[in-house]
Amino acid sequence: MEQTLWFIYAALLGTTTIGFLLHSRKAAFPVKFDLAVSIVTWIGLFGFVTNNQILDPLVWKIVFFGALLWDVLFAFKLKSQFEAEEPEAATGAAGTIFMAVSTVILLGPLYYGLFQYAF
């Protein structure tokens, strides 16, 4: 059952990554870089889910910490962008808490899998 849930989660992430890839042709550099980071982390999650060693664990340790740092910085960059566009939508502590909680819920399993894969 657990393996099935991991496959479903990996499939959902892969599907959204492909969707962003198809619709990000005219996107800014940070969005394209985030897409590249997402693809690499998805490959790591795929290796974890299928129990196949794709690259050296040292590579995945670097990917884990680098991608985690990038996602945190990128999430707060997006939050500040939304605040500039719609000041009433995501301001103050409530907006920060919502952004943090949604990031943990959506990306927590990804980073858990990458951590298990790397270490």
Side-chain angles (χ1 to χ4, degrees), residues 3-13:
Q3 191 71 14
T4 303
L5 292 175
W6 276 112
F7 274 112
I8 291 170
Y9 180 73
L12 288 173
L13 278 184

Side-chain angles (χ1 to χ4, degrees), residues 4-70:
T4 303
L5 292 175
W6 276 112
F7 274 112
I8 291 170
Y9 180 73
L12 288 173
L13 278 184
T15 303
T16 57
T17 301
I18 290 170
F20 284 129
L21 180 65
L22 294 175
H23 295 290
S24 68
R25 292 185 183 162
K26 296 180 182 176
F29 174 75
V31 175
K32 289 183 180 182
F33 186 76
D34 184 58
L35 179 62
V37 169
S38 297
I39 291 170
V40 172
T41 57
W42 186 83
I43 291 169
L45 181 68
F46 181 76
F48 169 72
V49 169
T50 60
N51 202 18
N52 290 322
Q53 190 62 41
I54 295 175
L55 294 173
D56 191 64
L58 177 63
V59 171
W60 295 113
K61 290 173 186 168
I62 294 169
V63 167
F64 172 76
F65 289 113
L68 184 61
L69 177 67
W70 170 254

Side-chain angles (χ1 to χ4, degrees), residues 2 6 9 45 48 64 107-118:
E2 180 181 339
W6 276 112
Y9 180 73
L45 181 68
F48 169 72
F64 172 76
L107 295 179
L110 169 68
Y111 285 107
Y112 173 79
L114 276 179
F115 182 82
Q116 294 295 320
Y117 192 53

